[in-house]
Amino acid sequence: MTTDTSETATPSSQTSDCSSGSETWEPAASLSQTTQEPAASPEPTAAATTSKAAEHSRTTTTGQATLASEGSTDQTGTDELTLATDQPDVTELADQINSFIAENVSQGELSLAYVDLDSEQSYMLNATESYKAASTIKVPMSMYCYDQAFKGELDLNMTLTYDQAEDYEATGGLMSGAADGQTATLQTLLHSAILYSDNIATNMIFRYWRQTSESLSYRMDQAFDMHYSEDSEMNVEEACRLLERLYENPDDNPYYDVLLTDMKNSDWNRYLTAELSVSVAHKYGLFDGNQHDVTLVYTPHPYILIVYSRNLSGAEQILPQLGLLVYNWQTETRG
């Protein structure tokens, strides 16, 4: 995979912490009038473990893929294939994806990342193209907080206070309809940010870190080799590395299991997951023409599929079809 090498901003240059964006969705049930605590998170255990991912002999080839962008101008970007010698050739999947895009994408921009988590074979299209992260930023936000809690440097039971002037944003979830001055624990806010894409909860968490020596944007960039602090943007390569870390859990952090459970129980079932009937841990993003989904799909041979898009005509039809295309290939070739 290609790592973004652009410089991250220093803490003093931060002008904006969070751009999660207003998102349209319907929660399964209204929880807006309560701050009742969710089930208790497990107590962390110390000591790091080695990565769970198996090592494979691999070769890498590169090629070109062309997308139709807004105004019918072609956008040509590199795609990258990572092959394992003991697995079905992922070039077949890449060909199917590229053919689907050529036939169905008439306007807009799209980036994609696929990784088979058993073989580590991967395919990436326009991997370093940046997009407004929208609510996909809530995954690294949660991972960073849970990493600090695991190290004993952050108390998930600490209480944060809602400041309507600072934190309000159209949203659903636990903090929807909250009164100014209402309180909730950090753990409750993290749950709501993932389960219901709660923007107020997210803004409260970002504001907490803004009051420390370094903003959360800067901290995430440093911890996860991202470039979010530059312009509230991410790319699919960064998102893919985050999901790989979350799945592999190299430090054996029990809070990662909490996050994955919340992602599996997310109330949003559109985009890449709409046509799937298997367990999926995912987080969508929707903001100002950007429509994204980052997914970890639990087939017998689990895989990551991530799509970021901008001004993509027919996105709510295209993304579910892409999700089903990759699922069918994965289950038919991997078993």
Side-chain angles (χ1 to χ4, degrees):
M1 298 179 190
T2 304
T3 301
D4 187 279
T5 57
S6 55
E7 294 183 1
T8 54
T10 60
S12 60
S13 68
Q14 307 299 314
T15 58
S16 175
D17 250 337
C18 182
S19 179
S20 57
S22 299
E23 298 170 336
T24 303
W25 53 279
E26 296 179 359
S30 175
L31 299 176
S32 61
Q33 303 304 317
T34 178
T35 56
Q36 181 179 356
E37 294 297 319
S41 302
E43 290 298 320
T45 56
T49 62
T50 58
S51 170
K52 298 175 184 176
E55 294 184 358
H56 296 267
S57 173
R58 294 185 289 177
T59 58
T60 301
T61 61
T62 58
Q64 295 287 326
T66 302
L67 301 179
S69 62
E70 188 172 7
S72 299
T73 301
D74 284 344
Q75 175 201 7
T76 302
T78 59
D79 58 357
E80 181 175 292
L81 292 162
T82 305
L83 308 177
T85 58
D86 59 346
Q87 295 290 332
D89 193 343
V90 77
T91 54
E92 178 186 334
L93 174 62
D95 289 343
Q96 289 186 27
I97 290 171
N98 289 337
S99 294
F100 175 86
I101 290 172
E103 293 171 4
N104 293 278
V105 176
S106 60
Q107 179 175 306
E109 299 169 73
L110 182 148
S111 295
L112 179 145
Y114 158 86
V115 177
D116 180 284
L117 290 164
D118 286 342
S119 70
E120 295 186 324
Q121 288 191 108
S122 65
Y123 172 62
M124 293 197 181
L125 174 67
N126 300 322
T128 58
E129 176 70 22
S130 292
Y131 299 79
K132 291 296 182 184
S135 280
T136 63
I137 197 60
K138 293 167 185 174
V139 174
M141 174 193 77
S142 300
M143 290 174 66
Y144 183 81
C145 289
Y146 285 139
D147 281 345
Q148 300 313 300
F150 179 62
K151 295 174 184 177
E153 298 176 2
L154 185 66
D155 181 5
L156 295 176
N157 292 317
M158 68 184 295
T159 298
L160 302 185
T161 302
Y162 173 46
D163 183 334
Q164 188 173 36
E166 291 282 337
D167 304 326
Y168 177 77
E169 189 172 350
T171 191
L174 296 173
M175 299 307 295
S176 175
D180 193 23
Q182 185 168 327
T183 62
T185 67
L186 176 57
Q187 179 68 91
T188 296
L189 297 174
L190 288 167
H191 279 298
S192 194
I194 297 298
L195 284 168
Y196 308 111
S197 206
D198 191 330
N199 292 327
I200 291 176
T202 301
N203 292 339
M204 290 171 67
I205 294 168
F206 269 82
R207 180 167 57 83
Y208 163 76
W209 286 108
R210 259 199 321 272
Q211 296 166 351
T212 68
S213 60
E214 295 174 337
S215 72
L216 183 54
S217 297
Y218 178 78
R219 289 171 181 269
M220 290 188 300
D221 282 357
Q222 296 301 302
F224 303 128
D225 192 19
M226 295 165 51
H227 73 292
Y228 179 75
S229 61
E230 294 176 14
D231 197 19
S232 303
E233 293 185 340
M234 287 177 61
N235 60 51
V236 296
E237 190 272 338
E238 292 169 336
C240 192
R241 282 192 283 105
L242 288 166
L243 286 197
E244 286 182 294
R245 174 177 173 80
L246 186 58
Y247 175 78
E248 294 168 3
N249 196 359
D251 299 327
D252 200 22
N253 183 345
Y255 294 121
Y256 276 19
D257 293 332
V258 174
L259 175 54
L260 284 169
T261 297
D262 284 345
M263 291 173 69
K264 290 175 184 177
N265 292 325
S266 167
D267 69 341
W268 179 275
N269 189 31
R270 293 156 70 179
Y271 295 163
L272 295 176
T273 65
E275 300 295 328
L276 306 186
S277 57
V278 296
S279 178
V280 181
H282 77 116
K283 184 71 194 79
Y284 75 98
L286 170 61
F287 175 70
D288 194 25
N290 293 269
Q291 297 183 73
H292 315 319
D293 208 357
V294 299
T295 69
L296 201 170
V297 185
Y298 288 89
T299 53
H301 297 277
Y303 64 94
I304 288 168
L305 180 63
I306 296 168
V307 171
Y308 276 16
S309 71
R310 180 167 46 235
N311 300 323
L312 183 64
S313 178
E316 295 212 9
Q317 292 75 46
I318 289 171
L319 269 61
Q321 292 174 47
L322 264 176
L324 184 60
L325 182 156
V326 174
Y327 170 81
N328 286 339
W329 185 87
Q330 184 78 7
T331 54
E332 290 168 5
T333 61
R334 301 290 197 256

